Amino acid sequence: MKLSINMAMTLDGKVVRPDGRWYGLTSSEDKTQMDVYRSQSDAVLIGKNSILNDNPIVKIRAVPNALNPRPVILVRKGTLPPDKHVFEESDHIPLVICTKANLKEIKTSLENKAEIFALDSDDIDPKKVTGILKRKGYKNVLLEGGPKLNFSFLEADLVDRIYLTVVPYIIGKTGLAGIADRTSELPGFDKQNWTLKQHFAKGNEIFLVYEKS
């Protein structure tokens, strides 16, 4: 199974606005390219905060006749409102992966909206998540989570590819996250080798594709 991260960042490396959301910073070119990446995937991993903050629609619009990937939502604590786009407008019933601690809460709010799988732990273990997806037969998974979720999968050495869009804005505020974010650094970050496989420009944005060597 191949796991790819898809993120957009500003010229100064920020992936969120000062209010913690991302609205209005990408163009139609970036949305089209995101659909291309989704069309090459059979599942899309999304974190709880991405659903709450951005309420994404997991449907491909720019690639004709493409099959929509299945949404896979990771929820470590609490639950999600059942009226979010991912539950109302997806072609596939979403798969929600939670912990044993919030399984009851998830079932109460989402039992008729999603397939629910609880890990036998109190946290979301990226290796257990990828194990579930492999057993379900998914070959190409796109991670559209936030910086902390990206960090956890990078830390577990599970990421094979990074799609990165550079958008023409400078925010400047300190303390805003980059594509991977935690208080500690990635172990051996300067020993890892990412190879630039593709780069191209559309409008004022640059699209980069890196693969793990």
Side-chain angles (χ1 to χ4, degrees):
M1 188 187 83
K2 296 289 185 181
L3 180 69
S4 304
I5 285 175
N6 181 32
M7 291 289 282
M9 73 176 188
T10 61
L11 291 173
D12 56 340
K14 309 298 196 298
V15 300
V16 293
R17 299 173 71 102
D19 64 1
R21 300 175 66 191
W22 183 250
Y23 59 91
L25 293 181
T26 54
S27 66
S28 59
E29 285 85 1
D30 179 63
K31 291 179 175 66
T32 296
Q33 195 60 37
M34 181 176 68
D35 275 358
V36 172
Y37 300 147
R38 284 179 171 181
S39 72
Q40 298 165 354
S41 309
D42 40 26
V44 172
L45 269 177
I46 312 168
K48 175 186 174 183
N49 288 338
S50 295
I51 301 292
L52 292 175
N53 293 335
D54 300 318
N55 197 16
I57 298 174
V58 185
K59 275 196 172 183
I60 297 170
R61 295 169 177 169
V63 181
N65 303 316
L67 297 176
N68 289 303
R70 185 184 190 187
V72 179
I73 307 165
L74 307 182
V75 185
R76 183 170 64 91
K77 289 184 178 179
T79 187
L80 284 165
D83 61 351
K84 294 297 182 180
H85 290 318
V86 71
F87 300 113
E88 298 289 340
E89 301 182 32
S90 297
D91 282 357
H92 310 274
I93 184 169
L95 170 63
V96 172
I97 300 177
C98 62
T99 70
K100 60 183 181 181
N102 64 335
L103 174 59
K104 184 176 180 181
E105 192 174 358
I106 292 282
K107 280 187 172 181
T108 299
S109 60
L110 299 176
E111 191 162 27
N112 297 320
K113 294 285 187 176
E115 178 186 356
I116 301 167
F117 189 100
L119 300 175
D120 58 349
S121 60
D122 293 323
D123 204 351
I124 299 292
D125 184 334
K127 290 185 177 179
K128 291 181 178 179
V129 170
T130 55
I132 293 167
L133 299 180
K134 286 178 183 178
R135 289 195 296 274
K136 287 186 171 292
Y138 297 121
K139 302 296 184 184
N140 292 288
V141 176
L142 191 63
L143 175 55
E144 293 184 0
K148 291 181 180 179
L149 196 59
N150 289 344
F151 187 102
S152 67
F153 279 83
L154 286 163
E155 184 180 38
D157 196 27
L158 296 171
V159 179
D160 302 288
R161 184 185 297 113
I162 298 174
Y163 298 117
L164 185 62
T165 305
V166 181
V167 300
Y169 299 96
I170 297 175
I171 297 176
K173 182 180 179 180
T174 60
L176 297 179
I179 69 167
D181 188 57
R182 194 174 290 174
T183 54
S184 60
E185 72 277 7
L186 280 168
F189 70 91
D190 54 349
K191 303 294 190 295
Q192 297 171 353
N193 191 8
W194 291 89
T195 301
L196 181 63
K197 289 293 186 178
Q198 191 178 11
H199 59 93
F200 54 94
K202 290 183 179 181
N204 291 319
E205 295 169 336
I206 297 174
F207 297 84
L208 306 171
V209 182
Y210 280 89
E211 291 186 1
K212 186 167 57 181
S213 300

